[in-house]
Amino acid sequence: MVICMVGTGYVGLVVGACLAGSGNQVMCVDTDAAKIEMLNQGLLPIYEPGLQEIVAHNRQADRLHFSTDVAAAVRASQLVFIGVGTPPTEDGSADLQHVVAVAHTIGQNLNGYKVIVTKSTVPVGTGDRIRQTIASYTDQPFAVVSNPEFLKEGDAVQDFLKPDRIIIGTDDPRARSIMEELYAPFQRTSDRILFVDLRSAEMTKYAANAMLATRISFMNDIAWLCEAVGADVTAVRRGLGSDPRIGSKFLFPGVGFGGSCFPKDLRALVRTGREHDRPMAILEAVIQVNERQKNLLVDKLRRHFGDSLAGLTVAVWGLAFKPGTDDLREAPAVHTIQSLNDLGVRVRAADPVATERARALFGPQVACFVDEYQALDGADALLVMTEWSAYRQPDFPRMKAIMAQAVILDGRNIYSPSKMRELGFTYYAVGRPPVVPDKP
Ligand code: NAD
């Protein structure tokens, strides 16, 4: 099939490249000329494991192309995917300006039956709005399909190639069979497509993110209480997760969820609830807990060093909102570093892949390193914000020698408190009793 992917970001690039991998002709288009230029030079604008190889292979096979000419790509295609950003607005609702702009371009260039597929996460009713916008330009037949994306940054390629489920929202039989054919290579072992109506498909994406975020905030609340009553949330989590009715995934307490999806999608769903006079009480609490959690390590630093942190040097390990990506959008580390800067703390930060993005974001105010040990130089404390695997078993004696004070605040519970005690670190984690060495 000939496919146009509008929006070549974390979703569009992965989906476009993987669809080219199954033999389709894919034109990935974007209004960001610098991004397209990079891609045409064989460089990736994002970090995503396994993506470089797929992009290179399909470019070489002449199946994957990059361009800024959205109109021409729409005209040449049978399927047009909308994968542009839907960032949050001031009031929490999803900003649909990019989606609507694409709908106008599609309407102006419709030259025969096409299936318009929304990959972007959009509020319920957006598919109908896209349909109306396109229809205002043309009498040509077309179908609008909602096909929300469930890939996770860091595992995006594998998630797309081996999906748990493919949700397709449409009431158009022709579009249904085209989508079935498109996804056939990705569900060879079992039928993973769920056909639903358009609005239910749009809602499913929000409901899935809302449920996952709820589990995280729930555990963060339990961890908060564990600290007060002297329980260890790690033990509680194991006990809880071994109940098959609950399951063990998304039960890790930490410094709050971030990224480009959970925070914005929750706010958008809460907003939709308010618009329909159906307040989403649980989700409002989920967001509230997450806001508290993002301040957790700064609060713990204050409790340890006293109210004024000015003049301290703090190392931060991990900037991306989770391991496996360079995405800094709504990353808890970014929030924490901004708070530390405001309090007059000198921050030295490390991340294996997000360093360049962090330099662009923070400027000279924050020293950013790829090497985690460089960030520790003269540090009064280390904050672990992202659980990159290289941080899990570091050289602790080396760390102690580099740091000015042996204080670790572990926002991801990756270290063993007994080991920290043995090594003589002062250690604070999330929902676990602290380790404070005896005074000599
Ligand atoms: P992104 O910001 O990485 O990429 C969006 C791209 O769209 C940008 O390159 C931008 O330049 C381009 N764009 C904007 N307006 C355009 C226009 N009019 N024409 C052509 N290109 C245009 O965003 P993303 O993370 O890929 O997310 C895209 C959508 O997918 C969002 O709705 C998001 O909620 C959803 N989603 C994201 C993820 C994820 O993990 N990132 C997962 C599932 C769903």
Side-chain angles (χ1 to χ4, degrees), residues 24-89:
N24 298 292
Q25 273 294 328
V26 180
M27 178 66 80
C28 283
V29 289
D30 204 292
T31 43
D32 184 339
K35 201 177 257 192
I36 294 299
E37 164 112 34
M38 267 184 97
L39 286 160
N40 276 327
Q41 285 170 11
L43 303 168
L44 286 203
I46 55 165
Y47 173 80
E48 185 59 51
L51 186 58
Q52 178 83 54
E53 294 77 3
I54 298 185
V55 169
H57 175 72
N58 286 291
R59 279 185 76 223
Q60 212 168 17
D62 211 23
R63 284 192 297 260
L64 182 61
H65 308 271
F66 300 104
S67 160
T68 52
D69 194 344
V70 182
V74 167
R75 285 196 297 273
S77 304
Q78 177 183 12
L79 273 149
V80 181
F81 279 80
I82 304 177
V84 298
T86 48
T89 59

Side-chain angles (χ1 to χ4, degrees), residues 53 68 90 104 106 132 206 208 215 237 239 256 319 348-349 400 417:
E53 294 77 3
T68 52
E90 283 278 294
H104 283 286
I106 296 171
Q132 283 156 15
Y206 281 103
R215 284 171 71 96
R237 177 180 57 76
L319 296 167
R348 299 172 65 79
K400 225 173 152 187

Side-chain angles (χ1 to χ4, degrees), residues 5-13 29-32 35 46 70 82-87 97-99 101-102 105 119-122 148-153 156 205 209 260-261 264-265 321-322 327 329:
M5 170 60 72
V6 190
T8 310
Y10 284 87
V11 165
L13 187 55
V29 289
D30 204 292
T31 43
D32 184 339
K35 201 177 257 192
I46 55 165
V70 182
I82 304 177
V84 298
T86 48
Q97 62 163 311
H98 304 303
V99 172
V102 177
T105 308
K119 266 274 166 230
S120 301
T121 303
V122 292
E149 184 49 57
F150 294 96
L151 60 74
K152 303 181 291 297
E153 288 176 23
K205 174 64 191 174
N209 278 355
S260 65
C261 293
K264 89 167 164 61
D265 293 349
F321 81 95
K322 66 172 181 176
D327 198 343
R329 289 177 284 186

